């Protein structure tokens, strides 16, 4: 069956499959100065002129900090069985050091209790890009000390919530933290240093390992520890061209191998070292680091939106311009100036990303081979569209429904093909602050009127809710 076709028979998922939605702290919470919270790198970045669309920021965002009960009730009404959220490091450990601020932890305790009371399984992400600014001032992720501080922070949150939260994710998309934050500069903290981006990648890996050990030292053995990777599906422009295949390998190392190599296999790819030898000597990888990083995982989260299409090219130090990761004079791909990115053909979302559910199936099956026996979760998948209420106040988004149907069908096909996929988290529960894009891009299944902060479930939320309640994908109405 083609993923673009309407299934002839109902697409039904295993009974224990988790149907969730995902958010992150800085994108939804607001209340940035309440309860002792101090600025994160995203507070600083978004208040720096020219860094975000319209100079927008997350000071209020969608005010989830004060409206979480309303939001949890909405999740329950839709029929979701799981909710993935992140903890703001600055809210619970304001400077990134020292004891926790209990009022900050209390917010997350209340949120977890509210979810459990509504029968929704919480999944906690410890780090979704919002490093405390004081740690960045001390050097940020390129410095080893930040990884050590993360281990202490993980223990604090694990002690506070580990008795009630069973699913844990150490890091969300460390590729973005390292290479968009320190390479291209389109994400906070906005630095543009190729060597710093590679140092950051290693110390994020080390943070994952130390955080995993810290969580397991204070939590019940039943709890699951994972991380979420935005692993790229990298395809060659010309599959028969050895130079294009070499370009695929280079980008695959920088997008995927730099993280799953040490995390899953305890080593970095030799080809990564060779490609970046003019940028760094990797001397910051110390004895004992790789075993510390290579902690056994209980699950792996995969975030997927669109594949990448690459070819070899004449070396261009100004970097690629069609990789889908924002405009910058600096490349997020250190050592890959001789690789060109191409726009993949097909229908696109408002982000300009091609809709290709075959990439999700390919990604799942890759990690089924890469880490046999490791349970997988799709921890992010979704689409941005230009959603607007109709005259009756309803928000109809048939494009998103079609997107979800195709990608969930790809997940089900992966399960049929032998993958152990145990859940899907729609990105995102509701419209929110979309990083450097400000409030321009709406990924939510729930529409947010930013003037009033009123929430309105879109038709996609109702469709997804029916899938969650029945375990079967509802039909997609023809337009």
């Amino acid at each position: 069956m083609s993923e673009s076709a309407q299934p002839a028979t109902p697409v039904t998922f295993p009974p224990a499959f988790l149907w969730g939605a995902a958010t992150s702290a800085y994108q939804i919470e607001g209340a940035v100065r309440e309860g002792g919270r101090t600025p994160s790198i995203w507070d600083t970045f978004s208040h720096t002129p020219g860094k975000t669309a319209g100079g927008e920021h997350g000071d209020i965002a969608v005010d989830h900090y004060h409206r979480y009960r309303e939001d949890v009730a909405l999740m329950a009404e839709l029929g979701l069985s799981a909710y993935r959220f992140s903890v703001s490091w600055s809210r619970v450990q304001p400077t990134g050091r020292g004891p926790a601020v209990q009022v900050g932890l209390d917010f997350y305790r209340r949120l977890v209790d509210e979810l459990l009371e509504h029968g929704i399984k919480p999944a906690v992400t410890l780090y979704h890009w919002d490093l405390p600014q004081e740690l960045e001032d001390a050097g940020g992720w390129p410095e080893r000390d930040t990884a050590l501080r993360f281990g202490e922070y993980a223990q604090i949150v694990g002690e506070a919530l580990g008795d009630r939260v069973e699913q844990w994710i150490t890091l969300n998309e460390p590729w973005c933290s390292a290479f968009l934050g320190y390479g291209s500069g389109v994400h906070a903290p906005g630095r543009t240093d190729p060597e710093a981006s590679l140092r950051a990648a290693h110390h994020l890996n080390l943070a994952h390992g130390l955080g995993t050990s810290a969580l397991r030292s204070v939590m019940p053995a039943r709890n699951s520890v994972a991380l979420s990777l935005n692993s790229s599906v990298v395809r060659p422009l010309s599959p028969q061209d050895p130079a294009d295949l070499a370009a695929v390998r280079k980008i695959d190392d920088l997008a995927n191998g730099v993280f799953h190599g040490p995390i899953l296999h305890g080593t970095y790819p030799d080809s990564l070292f060779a490609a970046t030898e003019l940028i760094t000597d990797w001397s910051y990888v110390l004895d004992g680091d790789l075993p510390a990083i290579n902690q056994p995982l209980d699950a792996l989260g995969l975030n997927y939106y669109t594949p990448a299409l690459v070819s070899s090219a004449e070396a261009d130090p100004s970097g690629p311009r069609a990789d889908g990761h924002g405009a910058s004079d600096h490349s997020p791909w250190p050592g890959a100036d001789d690789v060109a990115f191409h726009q993949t053909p097909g229908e696109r979302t408002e982000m300009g990303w091609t809709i290709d559910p075959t990439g999700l199936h390919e990604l799942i099956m890759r990690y089924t081979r890469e880490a046999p026996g490791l349970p997988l979760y799709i921890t992010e998948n979704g689409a941005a569209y230009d959603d607007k209420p109709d005259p009756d106040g309803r928000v109809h988004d048939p494009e998103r429904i079609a997107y979800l149907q195709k990608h969930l069908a790809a997940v089900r096909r992966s399960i049929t093909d032998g993958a152990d996929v145990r859940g899907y988290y729609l990105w995102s529960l509701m419209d929110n602050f979309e990083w450097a894009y400000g409030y321009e891009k709406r990924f939510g299944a729930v529409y947010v009127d930013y003037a009033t902060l009123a929430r309105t479930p879109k038709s996609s939320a109702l469709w997804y809710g029916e899938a969650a309640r029945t375990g079967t994908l509802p039909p997609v109405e023809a337009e």
Side-chain angles (χ1 to χ4, degrees):
M1 184 192 78
S2 166
E3 274 118 341
S4 62
Q6 190 77 284
T9 57
V11 178
T12 299
F13 285 74
F17 191 82
L18 284 180
W19 298 85
T23 64
S24 84
Y26 188 72
Q27 292 181 274
I28 67 167
E29 283 183 2
V32 296
R33 298 174 188 86
E34 293 191 34
R37 183 189 180 278
T38 56
S40 73
I41 55 175
W42 269 98
D43 294 274
T44 302
F45 186 82
S46 62
H47 281 274
T48 301
K51 295 297 186 183
T52 65
E56 291 170 335
H57 49 71
D59 285 9
I60 297 174
V62 296
D63 198 30
H64 176 72
Y65 184 84
H66 297 111
R67 298 168 183 252
Y68 71 92
R69 289 189 176 90
E70 172 189 347
D71 293 336
V72 172
L74 184 53
M75 291 180 231
E77 184 180 335
L78 292 173
L80 302 188
S81 55
Y83 174 53
R84 175 184 170 229
F85 63 93
S86 78
V87 172
S88 165
W89 191 345
S90 294
R91 195 176 294 286
V92 304
Q93 198 187 23
T95 64
R97 296 181 176 84
V101 172
Q102 291 303 315
V103 68
L105 282 173
D106 285 345
F107 167 69
Y108 296 106
R109 291 185 177 108
R110 294 193 301 271
L111 174 58
V112 166
D113 289 347
E114 194 77 12
L115 290 164
L116 293 175
E117 286 174 15
H118 284 81
I120 299 170
K121 184 184 289 287
V124 167
T125 301
L126 286 173
Y127 185 75
H128 198 129
W129 306 352
D130 47 355
L131 186 71
Q133 182 61 45
E134 289 201 20
L135 291 183
E136 172 59 25
D137 293 343
W141 285 114
E143 296 301 320
R144 170 173 295 267
D145 186 64
T146 305
L148 304 181
R149 301 287 76 75
F150 180 82
E152 296 172 358
Y153 159 67
Q155 180 172 332
I156 287 170
V157 183
E159 287 176 336
L161 303 178
D163 60 333
R164 284 158 293 166
V165 176
E166 296 183 3
Q167 288 194 306
W168 291 78
I169 294 164
T170 54
L171 307 175
N172 178 77
E173 298 186 357
W175 185 87
C176 295
S177 297
F179 296 107
L180 300 184
Y182 294 91
S184 67
V186 299
H187 277 195
R191 289 161 63 179
T192 54
D193 180 340
E195 198 223 359
S197 69
L198 291 165
R199 292 174 64 95
H202 176 65
H203 294 132
L204 282 155
N205 285 333
L206 183 59
H208 160 73
L210 297 177
T212 298
S213 296
L215 287 173
R216 289 188 171 138
S217 74
V218 296
M219 296 196 313
R222 68 173 185 271
N223 289 1
S224 167
V225 181
L227 86 160
S228 289
L229 298 176
N230 59 318
S231 295
S232 291
V233 174
V234 189
R235 296 168 174 167
L237 184 65
S238 300
Q240 285 75 43
D241 186 339
D244 284 5
L245 295 175
V248 167
R249 177 58 187 265
K250 184 171 284 190
I251 297 304
D252 188 76
D253 282 345
L254 287 166
N256 304 324
V258 67
F259 297 109
H260 77 223
I263 289 169
L264 296 180
H265 307 303
T267 185
Y268 285 102
D270 288 339
S271 49
L272 172 68
F273 290 155
T276 58
E277 63 183 357
L278 297 180
I279 297 171
T280 180
D281 61 6
W282 292 87
S283 58
Y284 39 85
V285 181
L286 303 185
D287 289 346
D289 282 5
L290 290 171
I293 294 167
N294 183 218
Q295 300 293 318
L297 291 174
D298 299 305
L300 179 64
L302 299 176
N303 297 356
Y304 173 81
Y305 293 94
T306 194
L309 186 64
V310 304
S311 70
S312 65
E314 293 296 322
D316 178 5
S318 67
R321 288 294 169 269
D323 67 347
H325 292 295
S328 172
D329 292 333
H330 303 271
S331 172
W333 304 101
D337 294 339
D338 57 348
V339 176
F341 284 75
H342 303 270
Q343 178 67 260
T344 51
E347 184 184 356
R348 300 186 182 97
T349 69
E350 282 291 308
M351 295 293 290
W353 298 342
T354 304
I355 301 167
D356 188 346
T358 67
L360 179 55
H361 177 268
E362 184 178 330
L363 183 67
I364 292 169
M365 299 315 297
R366 172 181 184 167
Y367 280 96
T368 297
R369 297 186 299 270
E370 191 87 30
L374 187 64
L376 304 176
Y377 290 86
I378 307 307
T379 41
E380 284 187 30
N381 177 238
Y385 290 104
D386 186 20
D387 305 313
K388 293 182 174 65
D390 66 17
D392 296 323
R394 295 173 299 188
V395 183
H396 189 41
D397 56 341
E399 302 92 347
R400 185 173 288 104
I401 293 174
Y403 180 101
L404 294 176
Q405 189 277 329
K406 292 171 186 176
H407 285 79
L408 281 161
V411 173
R412 186 63 183 91
R413 182 159 73 92
S414 302
I415 295 171
T416 300
D417 290 345
D420 185 10
V421 186
R422 299 190 181 182
Y424 176 95
Y425 291 85
L426 166 66
W427 186 270
S428 174
L429 173 65
M430 58 189 137
D431 297 333
N432 55 44
F433 176 75
E434 187 50 41
W435 307 113
Y437 294 97
Y439 295 94
E440 286 183 352
K441 308 298 185 185
R442 292 181 177 267
F443 275 89
V446 174
Y447 181 86
V448 177
D449 180 334
Y450 293 126
T452 66
L453 298 180
R455 278 86 155 129
T456 303
K458 304 173 188 178
S459 54
S460 62
L462 304 179
W463 183 92
Y464 185 66
E466 184 178 344
R469 288 190 299 273
T470 64
T472 299
L473 301 187
V476 176
E477 295 180 7
E479 285 298 294

